[in-house]
Amino acid sequence: MKKPIAWILDSTGFVTEEFKAHPDVYMVPLNIHFGQEEFIDDGVDLTNKELYARIKSSAEFPKTSQPSAGKFAELYEKLKEEYECAIAVHASAKLSGTIASSTAAAEMTSFKVYAIDSLALSYGLSGLIDRGLVLQKQGMEAEEIAERLQKEVHDLRNYILIGNLSQLYKGGRMSGAQYYIGSLLKVKPIVQLSAEGELVPIDKVRSHKKAVQYLLDRVKEDHEKYGTDTFQIMHGNVLDEAESLKQDILKIVPGAKILVGDLSSSLAVHAGEGTIALLWRKPPQN
């Protein structure tokens, strides 16, 4: 008898230890390119520590590319022998073509895949899979789970302190004028993924302290309004800063559940070393 649901995410998502150990969760990696050299974003082929070292020493700016439809098809051919269907949660279609590769592969292999545009990155993907696994345990069928998750993508709150304006600019995520002004004034942009899944600036501050206070104010607002008590902090090789932010949040929400993790290499390429992202979801209504 086939198992009911395979769960898929791409490597822009945060792969938790639970996901690594879960027999039904699969990760399809993006690719990272340094000139003619290509690495798989699986945390093994190129670790984050190696990535940051390469960025500092390389004359060429690294690039990322989505997994091919063929790569997804290899996985789906295997999964259709073991599972009735799959739910695949992918990076925002406005930032990556990964979901297009995934859906093309599903058609190629005639495997039923419910592909969800998370409109997000990092734990924005992972949190949806966590939620889906809970709904599956409650007995919900795959199609209904997929419909519920697609609605709940809009419950994500995310705030990102960019660590390296130069990388964001070179990666095509910031205009030349924005980069020049930001560098000149030493502005720290706070950006977020919008309701349409686009990376947009929401505020600019002149110090790291003020940027952190901005995040804490948003935490307090949602905790008071919705009772939010679960948060995720993703960082670009600045664990000390991430842990400091965690302690600040605990002063506002004592007993909060806070996960701290690394940005994946495919995100670190664009956001840069020193980036801090704070994410949470508005609690589901049922």
mmCIF file of all heavy atoms in Angstrom, residues 10 42 61 72-73 75 91 102 112 115 121 131 135 139 145 148 154 198 205 218-219 223-224 227 234 283:
data_model
loop_
_atom_site.group_PDB
_atom_site.id
_atom_site.type_symbol
_atom_site.label_atom_id
_atom_site.label_comp_id
_atom_site.label_asym_id
_atom_site.label_seq_id
_atom_site.Cartn_x
_atom_site.Cartn_y
_atom_site.Cartn_z
ATOM 1 N N ASP A 10 12.230 23.149 -1.353
ATOM 2 C CA ASP A 10 13.519 23.412 -2.003
ATOM 3 C C ASP A 10 14.478 24.018 -0.989
ATOM 4 O O ASP A 10 14.088 24.340 0.141
ATOM 5 C CB ASP A 10 13.337 24.314 -3.232
ATOM 6 C CG ASP A 10 12.738 25.664 -2.896
ATOM 7 O OD1 ASP A 10 13.413 26.464 -2.222
ATOM 8 O OD2 ASP A 10 11.596 25.935 -3.322
ATOM 9 N N ASP A 42 23.198 21.887 -0.652
ATOM 10 C CA ASP A 42 22.685 20.837 0.228
ATOM 11 C C ASP A 42 23.347 20.864 1.598
ATOM 12 O O ASP A 42 23.144 19.971 2.413
ATOM 13 C CB ASP A 42 22.877 19.455 -0.414
ATOM 14 C CG ASP A 42 24.333 19.142 -0.733
ATOM 15 O OD1 ASP A 42 25.219 19.980 -0.437
ATOM 16 O OD2 ASP A 42 24.593 18.061 -1.289
ATOM 17 N N PHE A 61 31.120 37.466 -8.513
ATOM 18 C CA PHE A 61 29.985 37.378 -7.605
ATOM 19 C C PHE A 61 29.225 36.081 -7.869
ATOM 20 O O PHE A 61 28.935 35.749 -9.016
ATOM 21 C CB PHE A 61 29.055 38.579 -7.820
ATOM 22 C CG PHE A 61 27.888 38.592 -6.872
ATOM 23 C CD1 PHE A 61 28.054 38.966 -5.558
ATOM 24 C CD2 PHE A 61 26.618 38.219 -7.303
ATOM 25 C CE1 PHE A 61 26.973 38.981 -4.678
ATOM 26 C CE2 PHE A 61 25.536 38.225 -6.435
ATOM 27 C CZ PHE A 61 25.729 38.611 -5.118
ATOM 28 N N PHE A 72 13.711 17.481 -10.577
ATOM 29 C CA PHE A 72 12.467 17.166 -9.873
ATOM 30 C C PHE A 72 11.850 15.873 -10.412
ATOM 31 O O PHE A 72 11.325 15.060 -9.652
ATOM 32 C CB PHE A 72 11.463 18.310 -10.036
ATOM 33 C CG PHE A 72 11.644 19.439 -9.060
ATOM 34 C CD1 PHE A 72 12.193 20.646 -9.464
ATOM 35 C CD2 PHE A 72 11.255 19.303 -7.739
ATOM 36 C CE1 PHE A 72 12.349 21.694 -8.569
ATOM 37 C CE2 PHE A 72 11.415 20.342 -6.831
ATOM 38 C CZ PHE A 72 11.958 21.542 -7.249
ATOM 39 N N ALA A 73 11.921 15.682 -11.728
ATOM 40 C CA ALA A 73 11.321 14.489 -12.332
ATOM 41 C C ALA A 73 11.969 13.217 -11.799
ATOM 42 O O ALA A 73 11.279 12.207 -11.584
ATOM 43 C CB ALA A 73 11.442 14.556 -13.851
ATOM 44 N N LEU A 75 13.119 12.721 -8.855
ATOM 45 C CA LEU A 75 12.535 12.468 -7.540
ATOM 46 C C LEU A 75 11.095 12.004 -7.669
ATOM 47 O O LEU A 75 10.678 11.033 -7.023
ATOM 48 C CB LEU A 75 12.606 13.735 -6.689
ATOM 49 C CG LEU A 75 11.933 13.665 -5.309
ATOM 50 C CD1 LEU A 75 12.599 12.602 -4.436
ATOM 51 C CD2 LEU A 75 11.970 15.028 -4.628
ATOM 52 N N ALA A 91 9.812 28.363 -2.892
ATOM 53 C CA ALA A 91 10.126 29.779 -2.766
ATOM 54 C C ALA A 91 9.178 30.607 -3.625
ATOM 55 O O ALA A 91 8.640 30.138 -4.623
ATOM 56 C CB ALA A 91 11.569 30.031 -3.204
ATOM 57 N N SER A 102 9.144 22.451 -10.679
ATOM 58 C CA SER A 102 8.439 21.409 -9.933
ATOM 59 C C SER A 102 7.145 20.999 -10.629
ATOM 60 O O SER A 102 6.857 19.802 -10.786
ATOM 61 C CB SER A 102 8.154 21.914 -8.519
ATOM 62 O OG SER A 102 7.413 20.977 -7.772
ATOM 63 N N LYS A 112 0.829 13.202 -9.050
ATOM 64 C CA LYS A 112 -0.003 14.253 -8.489
ATOM 65 C C LYS A 112 0.784 15.041 -7.449
ATOM 66 O O LYS A 112 1.139 14.518 -6.392
ATOM 67 C CB LYS A 112 -1.263 13.667 -7.841
ATOM 68 C CG LYS A 112 -2.220 14.718 -7.278
ATOM 69 C CD LYS A 112 -2.708 15.657 -8.359
ATOM 70 C CE LYS A 112 -3.668 16.701 -7.833
ATOM 71 N NZ LYS A 112 -4.094 17.656 -8.869
ATOM 72 N N ALA A 115 1.472 21.888 -5.735
ATOM 73 C CA ALA A 115 2.582 22.831 -5.602
ATOM 74 C C ALA A 115 2.079 24.134 -5.001
ATOM 75 O O ALA A 115 1.129 24.738 -5.508
ATOM 76 C CB ALA A 115 3.227 23.081 -6.958
ATOM 77 N N LEU A 121 10.468 32.854 1.714
ATOM 78 C CA LEU A 121 11.754 32.164 1.684
ATOM 79 C C LEU A 121 12.033 31.618 3.080
ATOM 80 O O LEU A 121 11.298 31.887 4.024
ATOM 81 C CB LEU A 121 12.887 33.134 1.276
ATOM 82 C CG LEU A 121 12.801 33.789 -0.107
ATOM 83 C CD1 LEU A 121 13.790 34.943 -0.208
ATOM 84 C CD2 LEU A 121 13.070 32.764 -1.213
ATOM 85 N N ARG A 131 3.083 22.943 9.488
ATOM 86 C CA ARG A 131 1.631 23.077 9.640
ATOM 87 C C ARG A 131 0.912 21.950 8.899
ATOM 88 O O ARG A 131 -0.042 21.351 9.400
ATOM 89 C CB ARG A 131 1.203 24.441 9.102
ATOM 90 C CG ARG A 131 -0.287 24.662 9.000
ATOM 91 C CD ARG A 131 -0.932 24.867 10.341
ATOM 92 N NE ARG A 131 -2.308 25.348 10.157
ATOM 93 C CZ ARG A 131 -3.313 25.020 10.952
ATOM 94 N NH1 ARG A 131 -3.126 24.232 11.989
ATOM 95 N NH2 ARG A 131 -4.524 25.498 10.738
ATOM 96 N N LEU A 135 -1.789 19.043 10.191
ATOM 97 C CA LEU A 135 -3.108 18.820 9.594
ATOM 98 C C LEU A 135 -3.259 17.375 9.119
ATOM 99 O O LEU A 135 -4.346 16.786 9.223
ATOM 100 C CB LEU A 135 -3.325 19.786 8.432
ATOM 101 C CG LEU A 135 -3.391 21.272 8.804
ATOM 102 C CD1 LEU A 135 -3.478 22.126 7.549
ATOM 103 C CD2 LEU A 135 -4.570 21.553 9.728
ATOM 104 N N GLY A 139 -5.928 14.058 10.321
ATOM 105 C CA GLY A 139 -6.763 13.272 9.424
ATOM 106 C C GLY A 139 -7.220 13.979 8.167
ATOM 107 O O GLY A 139 -8.034 13.436 7.414
ATOM 108 N N ILE A 145 -5.544 19.863 2.656
ATOM 109 C CA ILE A 145 -4.350 20.421 3.298
ATOM 110 C C ILE A 145 -3.714 21.473 2.394
ATOM 111 O O ILE A 145 -3.366 22.578 2.832
ATOM 112 C CB ILE A 145 -3.319 19.320 3.619
ATOM 113 C CG1 ILE A 145 -3.845 18.378 4.698
ATOM 114 C CG2 ILE A 145 -1.991 19.951 4.079
ATOM 115 C CD1 ILE A 145 -2.961 17.170 4.942
ATOM 116 N N ARG A 148 -5.677 24.639 2.344
ATOM 117 C CA ARG A 148 -5.520 25.370 3.610
ATOM 118 C C ARG A 148 -4.161 26.075 3.668
ATOM 119 O O ARG A 148 -4.075 27.244 4.052
ATOM 120 C CB ARG A 148 -5.644 24.391 4.783
ATOM 121 C CG ARG A 148 -5.503 25.026 6.155
ATOM 122 C CD ARG A 148 -6.733 25.818 6.546
ATOM 123 N NE ARG A 148 -7.884 24.950 6.683
ATOM 124 C CZ ARG A 148 -8.203 24.297 7.814
ATOM 125 N NH1 ARG A 148 -7.435 24.406 8.881
ATOM 126 N NH2 ARG A 148 -9.276 23.542 7.861
ATOM 127 N N HIS A 154 -0.535 33.801 3.699
ATOM 128 C CA HIS A 154 -0.678 35.226 4.005
ATOM 129 C C HIS A 154 -0.593 35.526 5.503
ATOM 130 O O HIS A 154 -0.631 36.695 5.897
ATOM 131 C CB HIS A 154 -2.004 35.747 3.439
ATOM 132 C CG HIS A 154 -2.091 35.618 1.944
ATOM 133 N ND1 HIS A 154 -1.306 36.364 1.089
ATOM 134 C CD2 HIS A 154 -2.838 34.809 1.165
ATOM 135 C CE1 HIS A 154 -1.591 36.033 -0.162
ATOM 136 N NE2 HIS A 154 -2.504 35.090 -0.148
ATOM 137 N N GLU A 198 7.125 39.586 -3.244
ATOM 138 C CA GLU A 198 8.229 40.389 -3.746
ATOM 139 C C GLU A 198 9.025 40.971 -2.584
ATOM 140 O O GLU A 198 8.465 41.278 -1.524
ATOM 141 C CB GLU A 198 7.718 41.529 -4.631
ATOM 142 C CG GLU A 198 7.001 41.050 -5.874
ATOM 143 C CD GLU A 198 6.431 42.196 -6.689
ATOM 144 O OE1 GLU A 198 5.524 42.887 -6.185
ATOM 145 O OE2 GLU A 198 6.897 42.391 -7.823
ATOM 146 N N VAL A 205 16.776 52.657 8.708
ATOM 147 C CA VAL A 205 17.252 53.182 9.983
ATOM 148 C C VAL A 205 18.750 53.416 9.894
ATOM 149 O O VAL A 205 19.427 52.909 8.992
ATOM 150 C CB VAL A 205 16.921 52.224 11.148
ATOM 151 C CG1 VAL A 205 15.417 52.130 11.349
ATOM 152 C CG2 VAL A 205 17.505 50.841 10.904
ATOM 153 N N ARG A 218 7.455 45.308 16.448
ATOM 154 C CA ARG A 218 6.506 44.497 15.677
ATOM 155 C C ARG A 218 6.144 43.215 16.450
ATOM 156 O O ARG A 218 5.006 42.759 16.403
ATOM 157 C CB ARG A 218 7.107 44.124 14.315
ATOM 158 C CG ARG A 218 7.586 45.277 13.452
ATOM 159 C CD ARG A 218 6.470 46.146 12.920
ATOM 160 N NE ARG A 218 5.978 47.127 13.861
ATOM 161 C CZ ARG A 218 6.659 48.240 14.211
ATOM 162 N NH1 ARG A 218 7.867 48.487 13.740
ATOM 163 N NH2 ARG A 218 6.134 49.101 15.042
ATOM 164 N N VAL A 219 7.124 42.647 17.138
ATOM 165 C CA VAL A 219 6.862 41.466 17.975
ATOM 166 C C VAL A 219 5.826 41.796 19.043
ATOM 167 O O VAL A 219 4.851 41.052 19.256
ATOM 168 C CB VAL A 219 8.164 40.965 18.634
ATOM 169 C CG1 VAL A 219 7.857 39.983 19.767
ATOM 170 C CG2 VAL A 219 9.070 40.307 17.608
ATOM 171 N N HIS A 223 2.126 40.100 19.422
ATOM 172 C CA HIS A 223 1.892 39.324 20.651
ATOM 173 C C HIS A 223 0.664 39.858 21.378
ATOM 174 O O HIS A 223 -0.188 39.077 21.845
ATOM 175 C CB HIS A 223 3.112 39.390 21.563
ATOM 176 C CG HIS A 223 2.908 38.691 22.877
ATOM 177 N ND1 HIS A 223 2.656 37.338 22.968
ATOM 178 C CD2 HIS A 223 2.871 39.161 24.159
ATOM 179 C CE1 HIS A 223 2.501 36.991 24.237
ATOM 180 N NE2 HIS A 223 2.619 38.080 24.975
ATOM 181 N N GLU A 224 0.543 41.184 21.450
ATOM 182 C CA GLU A 224 -0.600 41.771 22.146
ATOM 183 C C GLU A 224 -1.890 41.575 21.366
ATOM 184 O O GLU A 224 -2.961 41.389 21.948
ATOM 185 C CB GLU A 224 -0.342 43.263 22.389
ATOM 186 C CG GLU A 224 0.776 43.519 23.398
ATOM 187 C CD GLU A 224 1.070 44.999 23.592
ATOM 188 O OE1 GLU A 224 0.557 45.826 22.793
ATOM 189 O OE2 GLU A 224 1.820 45.337 24.533
ATOM 190 N N GLY A 227 -1.603 37.128 20.378
ATOM 191 C CA GLY A 227 -1.043 36.144 21.296
ATOM 192 C C GLY A 227 0.111 35.359 20.706
ATOM 193 O O GLY A 227 0.448 34.269 21.190
ATOM 194 N N MET A 234 16.470 33.682 11.535
ATOM 195 C CA MET A 234 17.427 33.140 10.589
ATOM 196 C C MET A 234 18.573 34.146 10.434
ATOM 197 O O MET A 234 18.335 35.361 10.356
ATOM 198 C CB MET A 234 16.768 32.906 9.225
ATOM 199 C CG MET A 234 15.576 31.950 9.251
ATOM 200 S SD MET A 234 16.039 30.221 9.494
ATOM 201 C CE MET A 234 15.430 29.956 11.170
ATOM 202 N N PRO A 283 -1.232 33.120 14.450
ATOM 203 C CA PRO A 283 -1.789 31.808 14.814
ATOM 204 C C PRO A 283 -3.011 31.480 13.963
ATOM 205 O O PRO A 283 -3.853 32.351 13.709
ATOM 206 C CB PRO A 283 -2.171 31.978 16.285
ATOM 207 C CG PRO A 283 -1.275 33.070 16.785
ATOM 208 C CD PRO A 283 -1.104 33.999 15.624
#
